[in-house]
Amino acid sequence: MSTQLDDLYNDHILDHFECPYHKGAIDHPSCSRTEKNPLCGDVVTLQLQINPEGKVENAYFDGKGCAISQAAASILCEHVEGKSVDELEKFQARDMLDLLKVPLTASRQKCGLLGFRLLKTLIYEQHPEENEHSVSPSDTLNTPVSNTDNE
Amino acid sequence: MSTQLDDLYNDHILDHFECPYHKGAIDHPSCSRTEKNPLCGDVVTLQLQINPEGKVENAYFDGKGCAISQAAASILCEHVEGKSVDELEKFQARDMLDLLKVPLTASRQKCGLLGFRLLKTLIYEQHPEENEHSVSPSDTLNTPVSNTDNE
Amino acid sequence: MTATLRPTWTAETIRRDFPILEKRLPNGQPLVYLDNAATSQKPQVVINAVRDCYETYYSNVHRGVHQLGDRVTEELEGSRAKIQKFVGANEPEEIIFTSGTTMSINLVANGWGRRFLSEGDEVLVTEMEHHANLVPWQQIVREKNARLRYIPITAEGRLDKEQLESLIGPRTKMIAVTTMSNVLGTINDIHALSEAASSCGARLLVDAAQSVAHMPTNVLSPRVDFLAFSGHKIYGPSGIGVLYGRRELLEAMDPFLCGGNMISEVHRDESTWGELPAKFEAGTLPIAPAIGLGTAIDYVQQLGWQEIHDVETTLTRRAWDVLTEIPGLHIVGPPADERGSIISFTVDRLHPHDLATLVDQKGVAIRAGHHCTMPLHDVLQMIATARASFAVYNTLEEVDILADAIRHARKVMRLS
Amino acid sequence: MTATLRPTWTAETIRRDFPILEKRLPNGQPLVYLDNAATSQKPQVVINAVRDCYETYYSNVHRGVHQLGDRVTEELEGSRAKIQKFVGANEPEEIIFTSGTTMSINLVANGWGRRFLSEGDEVLVTEMEHHANLVPWQQIVREKNARLRYIPITAEGRLDKEQLESLIGPRTKMIAVTTMSNVLGTINDIHALSEAASSCGARLLVDAAQSVAHMPTNVLSPRVDFLAFSGHKIYGPSGIGVLYGRRELLEAMDPFLCGGNMISEVHRDESTWGELPAKFEAGTLPIAPAIGLGTAIDYVQQLGWQEIHDVETTLTRRAWDVLTEIPGLHIVGPPADERGSIISFTVDRLHPHDLATLVDQKGVAIRAGHHCTMPLHDVLQMIATARASFAVYNTLEEVDILADAIRHARKVMRLS
Ligand SMILES: Cc1ncc(COP(=O)(O)O)c(C=O)c1O
Ligand SMILES: Cc1ncc(COP(=O)(O)O)c(C=O)c1O
């Protein structure tokens, strides 16, 4: 149960939050997508430039929201560049959380995985035919908690 | 809380149940009314013959149901005969329960008061103008428990 | 999780789990609780689960930006996952927390019915349904100019399969049926009904309120579209119920209750709905009861279905034997071996309410009335019946006490 | 019953009544619970009332042909009578048990709205309503081709009375408004709204979810037609709520949920409805939570409204003072003296979710988000706010811990 939260906002996260990697827009992205977490209003746009060999040459994000969602998107962009679409298909939510290097409580995982969800959808759309009979991204992207709002 | 139920089905009740007083019908009653307790299916019809002086000359009931509802209707008929409408207006649920001479739990009071409810409505209808601004019978007839059915 | 912690148990050992069974009644008698079909008693573990929630980690769920919120959400979602496995559903999102069976069925009648029923469509129910699985359908078919039709029962209180064949057809859009009659004890053949539903493309809703504590529940074999039950009849807390619905259907349906939690975005004049299960869980859930229900399900699974079945059929057979010996006593419904642990009966010249009051003097709690099945009682041509219903903690001695109490009642009423 | 058993009490003495407040959080910190507007903690007497119900007299209500049934019905109806007096209603039959505020408002929107709203009619809400008092109205006005209109708020977060004047008219059929905003803390002038409603012949529904634990509730002066609240925000169990409705209205309305208990007679194709309150209480009620709510109400009344008000305004003023000293912190809504014990705020360059997570490290539970008031947040031009809300058991020290934790959060986030 207990998670040591003191480490959450460490230099790794805060550096990415304050000086994000590739925050902005690509002129002619191969694909682009925006998503919102209505609960906290986090918004992230992810844009990829994929070369004919199926490699991500450029990854940019834009958005606003909590430090976790924005830092995670920045860390994600840094990570995916140079990776092939095939490699990224194997990239799991767990791997994303590992990349953040900080313990996220269930309730904050949705923030940490917002950019990742976009990535998975974009990658999935690269091979829609192939994936026809496999699981849809929404099946694999369920975070542990259905993080809806209530009081 | 605790009520000694052993006395409930005593000779007074059972005699009235088995050999009811004035069970049947009057040919030309002054007023007549039937009511049902949907919970247990008890049905009672009460008929009164009221003379010009406002005295109940004859009271008959008919019906079927549990011993309590039927015995109580019989006891009621015995009691009201010879009483004036004015007297019966003052007759309260508490008085009816006293007449039964047995302790009724909240849940069985509806049975014991079924005939009484009819009486109150019939009496009330004798003077509708007078009563216009007073409480309606449904206000005064609420038994302690709303004895509806559920499981 | 479902490992048998009690490889062998008897009513005697299990009774210690239920604090109320050790108490004396106001009249000083020990309690003989035979009203389990109305609601069951709660084991200490369930009572403690509710208390522990309030005493150690209570807060609101799904808002866990704080530690308590994380913990309570984890517990609630853990309970949902238990229920998912318990009913054999594919995904936890198909499990909706409601306030009870009644609410679950109202949700479907409104959320599915208002959208998918049209003029001339037919909803098929049975003559043995509880009002909870009748009145919501009466209301929605009236609104939609659709029609409610009844699968009749045989003289022995079973569904009439031949009539079923002739009732289903292209207009049948929903078959809504109980798994176990709360009066007759009849266990319905859900396999046959599932096949009937698929043969005509209808949806199948099962009201598992009565069966869920007594036999395994599985929504995939035979496949059902909706399944409803209440926590309070399966040794769980009061105030919590469950609706299982297949994902595609839940996604296609309109929400029922509206408010917080069930939305994605609220604008001034319109809103968009949240994802499952939130879409159907408006407002603050019954948090502690929902968590307690998870504990109750653990408890039942630890007992084991075979063991539960053995204990309960022994009770039911004994009851059948000793009750049928009582002069003037008539049991409704199928034979002892083909029913759940419910026995409804009448005694000649002894009104069920008088009977219930009289056996109560001996500490025996049974029920009398129409048991929320007026149409069934019309078919039976009875106004009311008395009902004894058994649970895992009842004993053969209690069955004998019931029989003695009925004999005593006859004596008091001058019938013997 | 409402005799002041504690003529003087302080947060310190009262804290001992709440077992959770003595527990440590998973991270070892003491709990500073400032999320009371979401849900409040439970005193031992309430926890025990629920437990005692299960351990000593639990069974189903309104079927008391046995002793347990009589007892549990007496307790439940006793709780209803307490609630009746608590809200100042004329009759216990005007008190409907529901699963919560959300359910209560849905009941009115459907049971009243479906019958009494017509094309062109208007339902008036405010910009500060909780989704529970918005989305049900959105749905029913859409169904009826009626219209939802909003009473705007002023820059300080109060209802704009001049606008109110111009909004009401002959088409206004319902005014549905919160007694206290769960974000701004604003306490609305129900007197003025009650007059506005009678001036145009509209019904008035008040959502008392936020005020009910903090100030007296009375449905007769000023007169309101419907009043809704939840047990879990007034130190009561989860899973229970209340709807008060005036008898004439409840009698004229259609039922909402259908099933057992709410009927008088069920025939094959139609049913007749039971009397109040049963007509609106379909199915098995949340029995133990309903009884526990009665105990919670006793508890609050023993504290006394004046005492509660004094304690809570002291907390709110202190919070105002210490929070406004924090650089970049902005409070939304009216001044400390004119609000309930709720303070929502933002901190420049510190997202409310990050803030809530960071203060949680210090054991402080606050909330972050839109608090189920998206239209209000649109008006405020904010996506989310952080919210601290106080109850009788909070202390001035806790307020200071909150302020320190926010300062610490700013430091961690490199803002100071
Ligand atoms: C003002 C207001 N109305 C309604 C609600 C909904 O209450 P519940 O979630 O208990 O149904 C809340 C709290 O969530 C509230 O603050
Ligand atoms: C077969 C059946 N269906 C539905 C219900 C209704 O359940 P609840 O009252 O818990 O909503 C019951 C019990 O009351 C029942 O026996």
Side-chain angles (χ1 to χ4, degrees):
Chain A
M1 256 319 293
S2 142
T3 321
Q4 191 41 278
L5 290 167
D6 281 323
D7 307 329
L8 186 48
Y9 296 89
N10 61 12
D11 286 343
H12 179 225
I13 295 288
L14 289 179
D15 288 349
H16 270 280
F17 179 51
E18 288 183 359
C19 310
Y21 177 80
H22 277 193
K23 179 161 180 172
I26 305 176
D27 269 352
H28 299 290
S30 315
C31 54
S32 168
R33 191 180 167 85
T34 302
E35 231 170 77
K36 193 166 164 179
N37 176 354
L39 164 61
C40 52
D42 290 347
V43 200
V44 170
T45 301
L46 185 67
Q47 301 191 314
L48 304 178
Q49 202 142 46
I50 302 173
N51 71 15
E53 288 80 52
K55 211 169 224 155
V56 175
E57 289 206 326
N58 254 313
Y60 268 77
F61 85 100
D62 208 345
K64 57 182 178 176
C66 68
I68 303 297
S69 69
Q70 303 303 305
S74 166
I75 291 167
L76 180 75
C77 286
E78 204 174 61
H79 177 77
V80 301
E81 283 188 9
K83 300 265 183 323
S84 72
V85 168
D86 290 347
E87 275 175 283
L88 290 175
E89 260 165 15
K90 295 188 202 91
F91 184 60
Q92 297 292 321
R94 191 75 352 245
D95 304 323
M96 179 69 220
L97 294 175
D98 287 347
L99 271 187
L100 298 180
K101 296 200 192 101
V102 291
L104 279 191
T105 56
S107 55
R108 298 306 304 276
Q109 288 184 13
K110 209 153 197 168
C111 307
L113 293 173
L114 184 53
F116 168 82
R117 288 171 67 107
L118 288 167
L119 175 76
K120 289 314 265 188
T121 309
L122 292 178
I123 293 295
Y124 175 81
E125 286 168 357
Q126 297 307 303
H127 302 293
E129 345 64 51
E130 281 179 32
N131 286 308
E132 219 157 58
H133 296 288
S134 75
V135 280
S136 83
S138 72
D139 285 340
T140 56
L141 290 176
N142 280 317
T143 48
V145 185
S146 79
N147 202 350
T148 47
D149 191 18
N150 191 36
E151 75 164 33
Chain B
M1 255 318 296
S2 144
T3 320
Q4 191 43 280
L5 289 168
D6 282 323
D7 307 329
L8 187 47
Y9 296 90
N10 62 12
D11 286 341
H12 179 225
I13 295 288
L14 289 179
D15 289 348
H16 269 281
F17 179 51
E18 289 182 358
C19 310
Y21 178 80
H22 276 195
K23 180 163 180 168
I26 305 176
D27 269 352
H28 299 290
S30 316
C31 53
S32 168
R33 191 179 166 84
T34 302
E35 231 171 78
K36 193 166 164 178
N37 176 354
L39 164 63
C40 52
D42 290 348
V43 201
V44 170
T45 301
L46 185 68
Q47 300 191 317
L48 303 180
Q49 203 141 48
I50 303 174
N51 71 16
E53 288 80 51
K55 210 168 228 157
V56 175
E57 290 207 324
N58 253 315
Y60 269 76
F61 85 100
D62 209 345
K64 56 182 179 176
C66 68
I68 303 297
S69 68
Q70 303 304 306
S74 166
I75 291 167
L76 180 75
C77 285
E78 206 173 60
H79 178 76
V80 300
E81 282 187 11
K83 300 267 183 321
S84 71
V85 168
D86 290 347
E87 277 174 282
L88 291 176
E89 258 163 17
K90 297 188 201 90
F91 185 59
Q92 297 294 318
R94 190 77 353 246
D95 304 323
M96 180 69 221
L97 294 176
D98 287 347
L99 271 188
L100 298 180
K101 297 201 193 102
V102 292
L104 280 191
T105 57
S107 56
R108 298 306 303 279
Q109 287 184 14
K110 207 152 197 166
C111 306
L113 293 173
L114 186 53
F116 168 80
R117 288 172 66 107
L118 288 166
L119 175 76
K120 287 315 264 188
T121 308
L122 292 179
I123 293 295
Y124 176 80
E125 286 168 358
Q126 297 305 305
H127 301 295
E129 347 60 51
E130 281 179 31
N131 286 306
E132 218 156 57
H133 295 286
S134 73
V135 280
S136 84
S138 72
D139 284 338
T140 56
L141 290 176
N142 279 317
T143 48
V145 185
S146 79
N147 202 351
T148 49
D149 192 18
N150 190 36
E151 72 163 34
Chain C
M1 186 188 71
T2 64
T4 306
L5 296 191
R6 296 169 207 282
T8 54
W9 53 268
T10 61
E12 279 72 19
T13 59
I14 230 120
R15 287 177 78 79
R16 286 182 224 128
D17 294 343
F18 292 80
I20 200 172
L21 299 180
E22 286 165 14
K23 300 290 188 311
R24 295 258 151 181
L25 287 170
N27 76 354
Q29 303 267 6
L31 168 64
V32 177
Y33 187 76
L34 303 180
D35 197 11
N36 294 288
T39 196
S40 59
Q41 298 300 341
K42 319 303 173 200
Q44 194 72 61
V45 285
V46 168
I47 300 170
N48 289 354
V50 171
R51 194 193 61 194
D52 288 353
C53 171
Y54 291 134
E55 292 189 355
T56 59
Y57 60 85
Y58 178 76
S59 75
N60 218 326
V61 292
H62 297 147
R63 295 292 303 124
V65 184
H66 50 69
Q67 296 166 68
L68 290 185
D70 273 328
R71 169 77 192 278
V72 75
T73 303
E74 186 176 296
E75 296 283 345
L76 183 98
E77 294 305 324
S79 175
R80 194 193 301 278
K82 283 177 194 171
I83 296 164
Q84 174 210 346
K85 289 190 194 93
F86 180 72
V87 304
N90 280 326
E91 306 172 41
E93 290 81 11
E94 294 177 321
I95 303 300
I96 312 294
F97 283 120
T98 69
S99 57
T101 308
T102 302
M103 171 69 180
S104 298
I105 298 174
N106 275 271
L107 194 166
V108 178
N110 284 273
W112 176 88
R114 190 158 291 134
R115 187 163 193 126
F116 292 105
L117 282 179
S118 312
E119 187 165 343
D121 283 348
E122 294 178 356
V123 172
L124 208 55
V125 293
T126 82
E127 287 182 338
M128 66 176 89
E129 294 312 310
H130 187 279
H131 294 164
N133 200 23
L134 286 181
V135 190
W137 299 114
Q138 286 182 346
Q139 292 296 97
I140 194 74
V141 299
R142 164 164 322 179
E143 184 180 320
K144 291 294 177 180
N145 274 315
R147 188 171 164 208
L148 190 62
R149 303 191 71 184
Y150 285 79
I151 309 171
I153 57 169
T154 65
E156 268 208 326
R158 295 199 189 79
L159 286 191
D160 188 330
K161 288 211 180 155
E162 279 164 33
Q163 298 274 354
L164 169 63
E165 295 298 314
S166 68
L167 279 164
I168 59 171
R171 306 190 145 189
T172 318
K173 290 286 147 42
M174 167 63 79
I175 304 180
V177 63
T178 185
T179 48
M180 189 192 288
S181 161
N182 68 322
V183 174
L184 306 167
T186 311
I187 296 165
N188 286 318
D189 180 352
I190 302 299
H191 264 100
L193 289 154
S194 177
E195 273 168 26
S198 26
S199 80
C200 63
R203 303 281 155 237
L204 176 64
L205 174 143
V206 300
D207 170 358
Q210 280 302 333
S211 66
V212 76
H214 306 288
M215 48 194 247
T217 299
N218 192 300
V219 296
L220 296 182
S221 68
R223 171 155 145 167
V224 305
D225 296 300
F226 298 104
L227 181 135
F229 70 93
S230 299
H232 70 91
K233 294 194 207 249
I234 181 174
Y235 313 112
S238 57
I240 185 73
V242 168
L243 174 68
Y244 157 82
R246 270 203 298 126
R247 179 183 274 278
E248 310 95 273
L249 294 170
L250 292 177
E251 284 183 341
M253 278 160 65
D254 290 324
F256 179 42
L257 297 188
C258 296
N261 191 47
M262 54 73 71
I263 55 91
S264 168
E265 296 194 4
V266 175
H267 303 287
R268 290 197 155 217
D269 288 311
E270 56 178 13
S271 302
T272 54
W273 313 137
E275 288 172 17
L276 295 178
K279 176 180 171 188
F280 295 103
E281 293 180 344
T284 300
L285 286 176
I287 297 169
I291 292 169
L293 176 55
T295 307
I297 282 178
D298 284 346
Y299 183 81
V300 168
Q301 291 190 316
Q302 283 170 17
L303 295 180
W305 289 121
Q306 189 57 51
E307 289 83 351
I308 291 173
H309 180 260
D310 292 347
V311 164
E312 293 182 344
T313 45
T314 307
L315 291 165
T316 309
R317 275 193 211 129
R318 169 73 142 257
W320 182 281
D321 292 343
V322 296
L323 292 182
T324 46
E325 274 175 17
I326 296 174
L329 189 147
H330 310 281
I331 295 176
V332 296
D337 284 345
E338 301 170 34
R339 61 160 70 207
S341 53
I342 291 173
I343 296 196
S344 300
F345 56 94
T346 57
V347 178
D348 291 343
R349 289 151 59 213
L350 213 175
H351 192 283
H353 268 74
D354 293 324
L355 179 62
T357 297
L358 282 160
V359 302
D360 181 50
Q361 294 179 14
K362 301 289 174 188
V364 183
I366 63 168
R367 256 195 112 197
H370 54 63
H371 316 297
C372 297
T373 58
M374 286 180 128
L376 172 63
H377 277 76
D378 285 345
V379 170
L380 298 174
Q381 294 184 291
M382 290 168 178
I383 285 166
T385 47
R387 180 182 75 188
S389 50
F390 310 102
V392 289
Y393 41 66
N394 289 126
T395 65
L396 295 174
E397 289 70 47
E398 289 182 316
V399 173
D400 295 342
I401 294 172
L402 166 68
D404 288 344
I406 298 173
R407 283 180 207 282
H408 173 77
R410 290 187 77 249
K411 207 170 295 159
V412 170
M413 296 301 283
R414 304 171 178 171
L415 298 175
S416 70
Chain D
M1 187 188 71
T2 64
T4 305
L5 297 192
R6 297 169 207 283
T8 54
W9 52 270
T10 61
E12 281 71 20
T13 58
I14 231 120
R15 287 177 78 79
R16 287 182 224 128
D17 295 343
F18 293 80
I20 200 172
L21 299 179
E22 286 165 14
K23 301 288 187 313
R24 295 260 150 180
L25 287 169
N27 76 354
Q29 304 266 7
L31 168 64
V32 178
Y33 187 75
L34 304 180
D35 197 10
N36 294 289
T39 196
S40 59
Q41 299 300 342
K42 319 305 173 201
Q44 194 72 61
V45 284
V46 168
I47 300 170
N48 289 354
V50 171
R51 194 194 61 195
D52 288 351
C53 171
Y54 291 135
E55 293 189 354
T56 59
Y57 61 85
Y58 178 76
S59 75
N60 218 326
V61 292
H62 297 146
R63 296 291 301 123
V65 185
H66 50 70
Q67 297 166 67
L68 290 185
D70 273 327
R71 169 78 192 277
V72 76
T73 302
E74 185 176 296
E75 296 282 346
L76 183 98
E77 294 305 324
S79 175
R80 194 193 302 278
K82 282 178 194 171
I83 296 164
Q84 174 210 346
K85 288 189 195 93
F86 180 72
V87 304
N90 280 326
E91 306 172 42
E93 292 81 10
E94 295 177 320
I95 303 300
I96 312 293
F97 283 120
T98 69
S99 57
T101 308
T102 302
M103 171 69 178
S104 298
I105 298 174
N106 275 270
L107 194 167
V108 178
N110 284 272
W112 176 88
R114 188 159 290 134
R115 186 163 194 125
F116 292 104
L117 282 179
S118 313
E119 188 164 341
D121 284 347
E122 294 178 355
V123 172
L124 208 54
V125 293
T126 82
E127 288 182 337
M128 66 175 89
E129 294 312 310
H130 187 279
H131 294 163
N133 200 23
L134 285 181
V135 190
W137 299 114
Q138 287 182 347
Q139 292 297 100
I140 195 74
V141 299
R142 164 164 322 180
E143 185 181 318
K144 292 293 177 181
N145 276 315
R147 190 171 163 208
L148 190 62
R149 302 191 73 183
Y150 285 79
I151 308 172
I153 57 169
T154 64
E156 268 207 328
R158 295 200 189 78
L159 285 191
D160 188 331
K161 288 210 181 157
E162 279 163 34
Q163 299 273 353
L164 168 64
E165 295 297 316
S166 67
L167 279 164
I168 59 170
R171 306 190 143 188
T172 318
K173 290 284 146 47
M174 167 64 80
I175 304 180
V177 64
T178 186
T179 48
M180 189 190 290
S181 160
N182 67 323
V183 174
L184 306 166
T186 311
I187 295 165
N188 286 318
D189 179 353
I190 303 299
H191 264 99
L193 289 154
S194 176
E195 274 168 25
S198 26
S199 80
C200 64
R203 303 282 156 237
L204 176 63
L205 174 143
V206 299
D207 170 357
Q210 280 302 334
S211 66
V212 78
H214 306 288
M215 49 194 245
T217 299
N218 191 299
V219 296
L220 296 182
S221 68
R223 170 155 147 167
V224 305
D225 296 300
F226 298 104
L227 180 136
F229 70 92
S230 300
H232 70 91
K233 295 196 208 247
I234 181 175
Y235 313 111
S238 58
I240 186 73
V242 168
L243 173 68
Y244 157 82
R246 268 204 298 126
R247 179 184 273 278
E248 311 94 273
L249 293 170
L250 293 176
E251 284 183 341
M253 278 160 63
D254 291 323
F256 180 43
L257 297 188
C258 296
N261 191 47
M262 54 73 71
I263 56 91
S264 169
E265 296 195 3
V266 176
H267 304 287
R268 289 196 157 219
D269 288 310
E270 56 178 13
S271 301
T272 54
W273 313 138
E275 286 171 19
L276 296 179
K279 176 180 170 187
F280 295 103
E281 293 181 343
T284 301
L285 286 176
I287 297 169
I291 292 169
L293 176 55
T295 306
I297 281 176
D298 283 345
Y299 183 81
V300 168
Q301 291 189 316
Q302 281 170 18
L303 296 180
W305 290 120
Q306 190 56 52
E307 290 83 350
I308 292 173
H309 179 260
D310 292 347
V311 164
E312 293 182 345
T313 44
T314 307
L315 291 165
T316 309
R317 276 193 210 129
R318 168 73 141 258
W320 182 281
D321 291 343
V322 297
L323 292 181
T324 46
E325 273 175 18
I326 296 174
L329 190 148
H330 311 282
I331 295 175
V332 296
D337 283 345
E338 300 171 34
R339 61 161 70 209
S341 52
I342 292 174
I343 296 197
S344 300
F345 56 95
T346 57
V347 179
D348 292 343
R349 288 150 64 213
L350 212 176
H351 192 283
H353 269 72
D354 294 324
L355 179 62
T357 297
L358 283 160
V359 303
D360 180 50
Q361 293 177 14
K362 301 289 174 188
V364 183
I366 62 168
R367 257 197 110 195
H370 54 61
H371 317 295
C372 298
T373 58
M374 286 180 127
L376 172 63
H377 277 74
D378 286 345
V379 170
L380 298 173
Q381 295 186 292
M382 291 170 178
I383 285 165
T385 48
R387 181 183 74 190
S389 50
F390 309 102
V392 288
Y393 42 64
N394 289 126
T395 64
L396 295 173
E397 290 70 47
E398 290 182 314
V399 173
D400 294 342
I401 294 172
L402 166 67
D404 287 345
I406 299 172
R407 284 179 207 280
H408 171 78
R410 290 188 76 248
K411 208 171 293 160
V412 170
M413 296 302 281
R414 303 172 178 169
L415 297 175
S416 70

